[in-house]
Amino acid sequence: LFSASFAALNLMPVRSLDGGTMLLSAASKLFSRQTAERILDVFGAAALAFMWLVGIYIFFYGTENFTLLLFVSFMFAATVMKNDSAPKKQNMS
């Protein structure tokens, strides 16, 4: 059960997970690279928000531990920090 849960989490469409890599490569075949990255960002944010809400629900109404909430919170923080630390392109016009 743990292994299946870990595999399902790994297939989430988040940039640093395998699901994000698969979504990015599939979207790159249909759209430009920049559009594919935007699609990945939207799907990744939606998946993390959904999993965060599931983690909150389990934390307050379940008898399970809060590992899912911690994992999703870490993934969200890592995604936000990675996007903030990326060098910004400057317009040379």
Side-chain angles (χ1 to χ4, degrees), residues 48 73-88:
L48 285 175
S73 298
F74 170 76
M75 290 300 299
F76 180 76
T79 302
V80 168
M81 281 192 259
K82 187 174 187 177
N83 286 342
D84 285 344
S85 66
K88 304 293 183 197

Side-chain angles (χ1 to χ4, degrees), residues 21-68:
T21 304
M22 292 184 331
L23 178 63
L24 185 62
S25 65
S28 292
K29 292 193 182 287
L30 299 172
F31 307 106
S32 68
R33 179 71 176 190
Q34 185 179 11
T35 304
E37 288 181 1
R38 287 182 181 171
I39 290 171
L40 178 62
D41 290 340
V42 169
F43 275 93
L48 285 175
F50 176 74
M51 292 305 293
W52 189 74
L53 290 173
V54 169
I56 291 287
Y57 178 80
I58 290 172
F59 180 70
F60 285 112
Y61 297 109
T63 58
E64 304 296 324
N65 60 15
F66 60 99
T67 306
L68 177 64

